[in-house]
Amino acid sequence: MVPYTVVQPQFVQTASFQHFKADAFPVIHPVHWLHSHFAVGGYSPLQRLSGMLTAHMTSIAPRNGFTWHPHRGVEIFTWVLEGTLHHEDSTGGRGDIRAGELQRMFSGAYIEHQELNHSDDAVRVIQIWYMADLKRRTLAPHYQQLSREQLPMRTVGDANVFSLIGDDSPMERHMIGQPRLTATSVNAGGATSLDLPRDGEDLFLYVTDGAGSVACDGENISLAQYDVILAREDADALAVRAAAAESLHYLSFYLPRFLN
């Protein structure tokens, strides 16, 4: 495995395609207003993947949130699934991040920020932390936010695929390895094909909502919320289908190779 990858021994195998149910990863509930599912980082058996320190779902109860706290040497992306998250930081940046919007906060050497739910409804986000590229850590801290309309979208079968990081996305990136990220929404009963990693990449896929299945080696594997897939570029072509009465949504992280 490449540097900056740390996994629990024997958890990741050598197979080109691996599926893990959501309950293989920890759910934490440290205070009454917070629930988090950690696919990467925290107490997850996937501690780090190619410089990605964490990928986790966080649900924040109404009128609660994370008050002022610092970060150093990281680039944090926040993808809002439900509700509206309010952001403020020590550079003077502030604003609301709504469902379908993506925010990037680059800490540089030091930044402080707070993330609050001012509403009467729960907020649910996927947050992703990357190690900042050492050559760019001297850059001033800053943040960037893109609406759903600003994110490039293409249709693949019955799915809409949004480019969040890398390729044609206008989102900047200053992390190690220059990974890519897409968000896919498959219509209920619809089908699509999963883009396999390119040369030098591996895939970490995180189901954010819905249900469906993926076909691999002639077997249909059920997919549910917060399941994880790991795949190499030599995996068989993967056909994905949403449940008949429920759409399927997932994030595809294309990271510098982390599977042996």
Side-chain angles (χ1 to χ4, degrees), residues 27 72 228:
V27 174
R72 297 176 177 87
V228 165

Side-chain angles (χ1 to χ4, degrees), residues 7-73:
V7 300
Q8 179 179 304
Q10 309 306 316
F11 184 78
V12 174
Q13 306 302 313
T14 59
S16 60
F17 174 88
Q18 299 167 68
H19 170 245
F20 303 93
K21 288 292 189 182
D23 60 9
F25 307 95
V27 174
I28 66 169
H29 181 36
V31 292
H32 72 278
W33 53 266
L34 177 68
H35 282 83
S36 295
H37 178 272
F38 275 82
V40 176
Y43 295 103
S44 170
L46 303 176
Q47 283 291 296
R48 297 183 183 183
L49 294 181
S50 298
M52 184 168 70
L53 302 176
T54 180
H56 63 277
M57 183 289 302
T58 289
S59 179
I60 302 172
R63 308 296 172 181
N64 281 283
F66 298 93
T67 55
W68 290 102
H69 59 281
H71 290 284
R72 297 176 177 87

